[in-house]
Amino acid sequence: MEIASGIHLLKCPLDSLWTGVFVLAREKLVVIDTAFDHSLVEVVYPYLEKIGRSPADIDLVINTHIHGDHIGGNARLQRDSRAKFAAHRLGREKLANPYFHLNKIRSRFTPLVPFQEIKSGLHPQDIDIDLEHGQIIDLGDSTLRVLHSPGHAAEGICLHDSASGILFTGDALQGGGTMSTGVALYHDLDGYLLALDRVAGALADGVTMIAASHPFDPISGLVPAAECSAFLRYCRDKVARHDAILRGYLAAHRDAPDLREAVRLLLEGAGLTTAPTVPVLAYHTAAAHLAKLAPEKQWGEPL
Ligand SMILES: [Zn+2]
């Protein structure tokens, strides 16, 4: 669907949710994130045809971060277009070895939580353009400003579009997370808080809409200007709530804290009634807090 003039959100199914691929049809044809390989065939290519474009027309592909649901279509797009690929420079090594990187996230807390290995659908790839915080990407008739937004992923970025005022936030703003995580997902607490501050700065500069890559609790994916500050506050409140729960737990179990129990309390505090689809993910969030609250203990090898 067209969410602003020349900007399209393509919702690619992901379990019961969706991951967003954004198409900017400007002087240059730009794609932000590529979902999964099958998403291109089933969703993206048919949509491009509908708006009178083809994959061969794509000039630039930008990955907001190097997670499987954002890079899965990269290889096919590389075959089917002459597009340049851009990502934050911290993503370079990860994209060159995606299985190693993504399975490190999945196996970090094994055997505390079963290892749900990723075995297919990814391809090693070189990045053509390394992005940095503050960089301006020139699209001819408009620009995208890069905000390095770590926390959820070290290489995470947001992109602020000069023409529409839309801020594409990828997974940088987690709200209360999604069904697959159960809670807001970040592995680096200071990084996540920095990302929230940077988004607050962008809001002060003027943002007409936040466009996130998933329907994070409590948003539908798109947040109109009038509700952006409230959503940002919701993200901060979730962090404070996690911190309070884990402080409380540590106060009672300082000598022998159990990460599994800490995660259980975190999910209970989030009001979760069913288990998250990828249980290991909530462990990252718990460990991000506990590593700061009790740095003398081991909370899984840092990423
Ligand atoms: Zn994602």
Side-chain angles (χ1 to χ4, degrees):
M1 62 176 177
E2 190 166 17
I3 59 173
S5 175
I7 302 184
H8 306 265
L9 163 58
L10 284 55
K11 294 181 179 177
C12 304
L14 161 64
D15 299 327
S16 58
L17 308 171
W18 51 265
T19 194
V21 168
F22 294 93
V23 173
L24 279 61
R26 298 272 169 76
E27 206 171 296
K28 287 191 177 161
L29 187 61
V30 181
V31 170
I32 300 175
D33 285 339
T34 64
F36 302 98
D37 182 63
H38 63 85
S39 316
L40 292 185
V41 180
E42 292 161 9
V43 180
V44 179
Y45 287 3
Y47 191 93
L48 285 175
E49 199 182 320
K50 214 174 72 184
I51 62 168
R53 310 299 287 258
S54 87
D57 300 337
I58 299 169
D59 297 293
L60 178 65
V61 176
I62 307 173
N63 291 128
T64 59
H65 61 297
I66 313 303
H67 283 173
D69 54 332
H70 298 257
I71 61 165
N74 279 23
R76 184 181 290 272
L77 272 187
Q78 199 170 33
R79 274 201 310 275
D80 293 348
S81 74
R82 270 176 304 205
K84 297 274 186 222
F85 284 75
H88 189 272
R89 63 178 170 77
L90 294 177
R92 169 172 288 280
E93 229 179 281
K94 297 177 178 181
L95 204 50
N97 204 347
Y99 285 108
F100 175 76
H101 160 59
L102 293 173
N103 283 322
K104 210 162 93 179
I105 295 173
R106 293 290 184 100
S107 63
R108 181 178 169 203
F109 301 101
T110 305
L112 272 187
V113 52
F115 177 26
Q116 294 169 288
E117 190 178 355
I118 298 173
K119 292 183 177 158
S120 61
L122 301 169
H123 298 268
Q125 193 187 4
D126 260 344
I127 292 175
D128 300 304
I129 303 166
D130 286 317
L131 300 175
E132 288 281 0
H133 177 63
Q135 190 166 334
I136 305 290
I137 304 170
D138 185 3
L139 304 183
D141 48 0
S142 59
T143 61
L144 290 170
R145 186 163 62 92
V146 177
L147 270 67
H148 180 215
S149 319
H152 174 74
E155 72 285 4
I157 53 170
C158 299
L159 296 162
H160 196 181
D161 176 34
S162 68
S164 67
I166 292 179
L167 183 68
F168 300 95
T169 54
D171 290 0
L173 298 183
Q174 287 276 309
T178 64
M179 296 282 294
S180 54
T181 56
V183 293
L185 170 58
Y186 42 84
H187 68 88
D188 165 13
L189 180 54
D190 288 338
Y192 189 60
L193 293 171
L194 173 67
L196 298 184
D197 283 347
R198 284 182 171 164
V199 169
L203 294 188
D205 290 345
V207 166
T208 54
M209 183 194 286
I210 282 175
S213 291
H214 306 287
F216 294 104
D217 166 56
I219 62 166
S220 66
L222 302 175
V223 185
E227 291 164 29
C228 288
S229 295
F231 178 49
L232 196 58
R233 204 158 46 238
Y234 188 86
C235 294
R236 287 192 200 284
D237 287 350
K238 285 292 174 187
V239 174
R241 173 129 181 82
H242 294 163
D243 219 54
I245 290 170
L246 295 170
R247 265 177 210 278
Y249 174 71
L250 269 185
H253 302 87
R254 188 94 203 179
D255 292 340
D258 172 9
L259 184 56
R260 251 179 311 200
E261 181 58 10
V263 170
R264 195 189 66 73
L265 289 172
L266 209 57
L267 293 172
E268 189 183 87
L272 218 69
T273 48
T274 51
T277 357
V278 189
V280 69
L281 299 177
Y283 280 71
H284 289 271
T285 303
H289 285 267
L290 292 166
K292 295 214 62 158
L293 295 170
E296 72 283 4
K297 306 269 192 231
Q298 285 298 316
W299 301 109
E301 193 193 330
L303 287 175

PDB file of all heavy atoms in Angstrom, residues 14 19 33 64-65 67-70 152 170-171 174 213-214 216, ligand 1:
ATOM      1  N   LEU A  14       5.016 -13.132   8.238  1.00  0.00           N
ATOM      2  CA  LEU A  14       6.045 -13.693   9.111  1.00  0.00           C
ATOM      3  C   LEU A  14       5.294 -14.276  10.298  1.00  0.00           C
ATOM      4  O   LEU A  14       4.805 -13.538  11.142  1.00  0.00           O
ATOM      5  CB  LEU A  14       7.009 -12.578   9.566  1.00  0.00           C
ATOM      6  CG  LEU A  14       7.881 -12.806  10.789  1.00  0.00           C
ATOM      7  CD1 LEU A  14       8.861 -13.945  10.554  1.00  0.00           C
ATOM      8  CD2 LEU A  14       8.655 -11.538  11.152  1.00  0.00           C
ATOM      9  N   THR A  19       6.623  -8.682   8.192  1.00  0.00           N
ATOM     10  CA  THR A  19       7.820  -7.861   8.185  1.00  0.00           C
ATOM     11  C   THR A  19       7.683  -6.914   6.993  1.00  0.00           C
ATOM     12  O   THR A  19       7.193  -7.300   5.931  1.00  0.00           O
ATOM     13  CB  THR A  19       9.087  -8.753   8.142  1.00  0.00           C
ATOM     14  OG1 THR A  19      10.228  -7.987   8.454  1.00  0.00           O
ATOM     15  CG2 THR A  19       9.280  -9.395   6.807  1.00  0.00           C
ATOM     16  N   ASP A  33      15.027  -3.020   3.276  1.00  0.00           N
ATOM     17  CA  ASP A  33      14.877  -4.395   3.770  1.00  0.00           C
ATOM     18  C   ASP A  33      14.245  -5.311   2.720  1.00  0.00           C
ATOM     19  O   ASP A  33      13.531  -4.848   1.816  1.00  0.00           O
ATOM     20  CB  ASP A  33      14.100  -4.451   5.095  1.00  0.00           C
ATOM     21  CG  ASP A  33      14.962  -3.976   6.260  1.00  0.00           C
ATOM     22  OD1 ASP A  33      16.197  -3.992   6.130  1.00  0.00           O
ATOM     23  OD2 ASP A  33      14.391  -3.605   7.300  1.00  0.00           O
ATOM     24  N   THR A  64      18.115  -2.362   7.205  1.00  0.00           N
ATOM     25  CA  THR A  64      18.114  -1.623   8.484  1.00  0.00           C
ATOM     26  C   THR A  64      18.967  -2.339   9.527  1.00  0.00           C
ATOM     27  O   THR A  64      19.481  -1.713  10.446  1.00  0.00           O
ATOM     28  CB  THR A  64      16.691  -1.441   9.048  1.00  0.00           C
ATOM     29  OG1 THR A  64      16.107  -2.747   9.253  1.00  0.00           O
ATOM     30  CG2 THR A  64      15.817  -0.625   8.106  1.00  0.00           C
ATOM     31  N   HIS A  65      19.092  -3.653   9.408  1.00  0.00           N
ATOM     32  CA  HIS A  65      19.991  -4.441  10.250  1.00  0.00           C
ATOM     33  C   HIS A  65      20.064  -5.850   9.684  1.00  0.00           C
ATOM     34  O   HIS A  65      19.263  -6.213   8.811  1.00  0.00           O
ATOM     35  CB  HIS A  65      19.571  -4.433  11.719  1.00  0.00           C
ATOM     36  CG  HIS A  65      18.207  -5.003  12.000  1.00  0.00           C
ATOM     37  ND1 HIS A  65      17.048  -4.445  11.498  1.00  0.00           N
ATOM     38  CD2 HIS A  65      17.814  -6.083  12.716  1.00  0.00           C
ATOM     39  CE1 HIS A  65      16.007  -5.152  11.914  1.00  0.00           C
ATOM     40  NE2 HIS A  65      16.442  -6.157  12.646  1.00  0.00           N
ATOM     41  N   HIS A  67      19.313  -9.077  10.335  1.00  0.00           N
ATOM     42  CA  HIS A  67      18.551 -10.194  10.889  1.00  0.00           C
ATOM     43  C   HIS A  67      17.839 -10.887   9.736  1.00  0.00           C
ATOM     44  O   HIS A  67      17.531 -10.256   8.720  1.00  0.00           O
ATOM     45  CB  HIS A  67      17.540  -9.707  11.933  1.00  0.00           C
ATOM     46  CG  HIS A  67      18.166  -9.378  13.267  1.00  0.00           C
ATOM     47  ND1 HIS A  67      17.470  -8.793  14.300  1.00  0.00           N
ATOM     48  CD2 HIS A  67      19.435  -9.574  13.720  1.00  0.00           C
ATOM     49  CE1 HIS A  67      18.281  -8.629  15.349  1.00  0.00           C
ATOM     50  NE2 HIS A  67      19.476  -9.087  15.019  1.00  0.00           N
ATOM     51  N   GLY A  68      17.554 -12.192   9.938  1.00  0.00           N
ATOM     52  CA  GLY A  68      17.046 -13.028   8.854  1.00  0.00           C
ATOM     53  C   GLY A  68      15.794 -12.506   8.177  1.00  0.00           C
ATOM     54  O   GLY A  68      15.624 -12.669   6.965  1.00  0.00           O
ATOM     55  N   ASP A  69      14.918 -11.850   8.931  1.00  0.00           N
ATOM     56  CA  ASP A  69      13.655 -11.373   8.359  1.00  0.00           C
ATOM     57  C   ASP A  69      13.804 -10.018   7.664  1.00  0.00           C
ATOM     58  O   ASP A  69      12.826  -9.438   7.208  1.00  0.00           O
ATOM     59  CB  ASP A  69      12.556 -11.303   9.445  1.00  0.00           C
ATOM     60  CG  ASP A  69      12.982 -10.490  10.654  1.00  0.00           C
ATOM     61  OD1 ASP A  69      14.192 -10.425  10.942  1.00  0.00           O
ATOM     62  OD2 ASP A  69      12.105  -9.922  11.340  1.00  0.00           O
ATOM     63  N   HIS A  70      15.057  -9.529   7.576  1.00  0.00           N
ATOM     64  CA  HIS A  70      15.302  -8.244   6.903  1.00  0.00           C
ATOM     65  C   HIS A  70      16.270  -8.366   5.727  1.00  0.00           C
ATOM     66  O   HIS A  70      16.369  -7.460   4.914  1.00  0.00           O
ATOM     67  CB  HIS A  70      15.838  -7.214   7.913  1.00  0.00           C
ATOM     68  CG  HIS A  70      14.854  -6.927   9.007  1.00  0.00           C
ATOM     69  ND1 HIS A  70      14.089  -5.788   9.050  1.00  0.00           N
ATOM     70  CD2 HIS A  70      14.464  -7.670  10.072  1.00  0.00           C
ATOM     71  CE1 HIS A  70      13.278  -5.835  10.096  1.00  0.00           C
ATOM     72  NE2 HIS A  70      13.493  -6.975  10.741  1.00  0.00           N
ATOM     73  N   HIS A 152      18.806  -3.153  19.648  1.00  0.00           N
ATOM     74  CA  HIS A 152      18.189  -4.368  19.096  1.00  0.00           C
ATOM     75  C   HIS A 152      19.238  -5.146  18.304  1.00  0.00           C
ATOM     76  O   HIS A 152      19.326  -6.363  18.386  1.00  0.00           O
ATOM     77  CB  HIS A 152      17.013  -3.982  18.203  1.00  0.00           C
ATOM     78  CG  HIS A 152      16.404  -5.157  17.483  1.00  0.00           C
ATOM     79  ND1 HIS A 152      15.611  -6.088  18.117  1.00  0.00           N
ATOM     80  CD2 HIS A 152      16.487  -5.557  16.184  1.00  0.00           C
ATOM     81  CE1 HIS A 152      15.237  -7.009  17.243  1.00  0.00           C
ATOM     82  NE2 HIS A 152      15.745  -6.710  16.061  1.00  0.00           N
ATOM     83  N   GLY A 170      12.948   0.460  11.257  1.00  0.00           N
ATOM     84  CA  GLY A 170      13.367  -0.950  11.294  1.00  0.00           C
ATOM     85  C   GLY A 170      12.849  -1.604  12.565  1.00  0.00           C
ATOM     86  O   GLY A 170      11.662  -1.489  12.892  1.00  0.00           O
ATOM     87  N   ASP A 171      13.760  -2.253  13.323  1.00  0.00           N
ATOM     88  CA  ASP A 171      13.372  -2.853  14.602  1.00  0.00           C
ATOM     89  C   ASP A 171      13.964  -2.058  15.765  1.00  0.00           C
ATOM     90  O   ASP A 171      14.048  -2.557  16.885  1.00  0.00           O
ATOM     91  CB  ASP A 171      13.875  -4.308  14.689  1.00  0.00           C
ATOM     92  CG  ASP A 171      13.127  -5.232  13.741  1.00  0.00           C
ATOM     93  OD1 ASP A 171      12.230  -4.768  13.009  1.00  0.00           O
ATOM     94  OD2 ASP A 171      13.449  -6.437  13.731  1.00  0.00           O
ATOM     95  N   GLN A 174      11.143  -0.948  19.785  1.00  0.00           N
ATOM     96  CA  GLN A 174      10.506  -2.242  19.998  1.00  0.00           C
ATOM     97  C   GLN A 174       9.137  -2.164  20.664  1.00  0.00           C
ATOM     98  O   GLN A 174       8.422  -3.161  20.688  1.00  0.00           O
ATOM     99  CB  GLN A 174      11.432  -3.112  20.860  1.00  0.00           C
ATOM    100  CG  GLN A 174      12.657  -3.617  20.110  1.00  0.00           C
ATOM    101  CD  GLN A 174      12.328  -4.874  19.341  1.00  0.00           C
ATOM    102  OE1 GLN A 174      11.776  -5.821  19.882  1.00  0.00           O
ATOM    103  NE2 GLN A 174      12.654  -4.895  18.067  1.00  0.00           N
ATOM    104  N   SER A 213       9.175  -1.825  11.128  1.00  0.00           N
ATOM    105  CA  SER A 213       9.212  -3.002  10.257  1.00  0.00           C
ATOM    106  C   SER A 213       8.283  -4.138  10.685  1.00  0.00           C
ATOM    107  O   SER A 213       8.186  -5.142   9.982  1.00  0.00           O
ATOM    108  CB  SER A 213      10.639  -3.547  10.176  1.00  0.00           C
ATOM    109  OG  SER A 213      11.459  -2.637   9.464  1.00  0.00           O
ATOM    110  N   HIS A 214       7.666  -4.001  11.838  1.00  0.00           N
ATOM    111  CA  HIS A 214       6.705  -5.007  12.305  1.00  0.00           C
ATOM    112  C   HIS A 214       5.611  -4.279  13.093  1.00  0.00           C
ATOM    113  O   HIS A 214       5.820  -3.153  13.547  1.00  0.00           O
ATOM    114  CB  HIS A 214       7.373  -6.028  13.247  1.00  0.00           C
ATOM    115  CG  HIS A 214       8.582  -6.698  12.690  1.00  0.00           C
ATOM    116  ND1 HIS A 214       8.526  -7.664  11.709  1.00  0.00           N
ATOM    117  CD2 HIS A 214       9.900  -6.548  12.988  1.00  0.00           C
ATOM    118  CE1 HIS A 214       9.757  -8.072  11.422  1.00  0.00           C
ATOM    119  NE2 HIS A 214      10.611  -7.414  12.180  1.00  0.00           N
ATOM    120  N   PHE A 216       4.806  -3.845  16.155  1.00  0.00           N
ATOM    121  CA  PHE A 216       5.214  -4.008  17.553  1.00  0.00           C
ATOM    122  C   PHE A 216       4.068  -3.576  18.464  1.00  0.00           C
ATOM    123  O   PHE A 216       3.350  -2.607  18.146  1.00  0.00           O
ATOM    124  CB  PHE A 216       6.440  -3.127  17.846  1.00  0.00           C
ATOM    125  CG  PHE A 216       7.676  -3.536  17.105  1.00  0.00           C
ATOM    126  CD1 PHE A 216       8.121  -2.825  16.007  1.00  0.00           C
ATOM    127  CD2 PHE A 216       8.399  -4.643  17.510  1.00  0.00           C
ATOM    128  CE1 PHE A 216       9.269  -3.199  15.323  1.00  0.00           C
ATOM    129  CE2 PHE A 216       9.553  -5.027  16.825  1.00  0.00           C
ATOM    130  CZ  PHE A 216       9.984  -4.308  15.733  1.00  0.00           C
TER     131      PHE A 216
HETATM  132 ZN    ZN B   1      12.703  -7.921  12.434  1.00  0.00          ZN
END
